[in-house]
Amino acid sequence: EVQLVESGGGLVQAGGSLRLSCAASGFTFDDYYMGWFRQAPGKEREGVSYIRSSHGITYYADSVKGRFTISSDNAKNTVYLQMNSLKPEDTAVYYCTADRDGLGFPIIWGDFWGQGTQVTVSS
């Protein structure tokens, strides 16, 4: 059974930091691109970042570039999203995803999805 389990969300003041984690199981982690999406109330889902560490590939949306860092620990089948200098507009449910071919980000993406973790940034 495929599982993507996010953790690390919470409430933080603007300017603060959080680190999200996503523990993956049930598929060959090394064969997949791992990504993060977010969705704020009343807004469309937004692709935030992805990584394929074995290929040295990372991508960031312009809205988070320079503030967020994606990384992975393939030995632990875990992907992380370090979020610094958080802003109220970063408030959203953050979802971990896995995609086999990594194409079409963010429109066509996501063979597997986690349940999401809430991030709330207060002003």
Side-chain angles (χ1 to χ4, degrees), residues 56-96:
I57 295 171
T58 58
Y59 168 87
Y60 299 95
D62 287 344
S63 57
V64 305
K65 198 172 295 183
R67 299 188 298 122
F68 290 12
T69 302
I70 192 169
S71 62
S72 67
D73 185 337
N74 287 19
K76 296 182 178 180
N77 289 357
T78 300
V79 61
Y80 305 97
L81 188 68
Q82 178 67 43
M83 307 186 294
N84 298 329
S85 303
L86 283 162
K87 305 175 182 179
E89 51 263 45
D90 294 318
T91 295
V93 177
Y94 283 71
Y95 298 92
C96 176

Side-chain angles (χ1 to χ4, degrees), residues 4-45:
L4 295 174
V5 180
E6 303 99 334
S7 60
L11 173 64
V12 64
Q13 289 188 331
S17 298
L18 284 173
R19 188 176 83 153
L20 305 183
S21 300
C22 171
S25 61
F27 62 99
T28 305
F29 187 82
D30 291 356
D31 289 345
Y32 282 75
Y33 289 76
M34 299 299 297
W36 290 94
F37 281 69
R38 66 185 181 185
Q39 189 164 22
K43 295 189 176 181
E44 291 187 357
R45 188 174 62 192

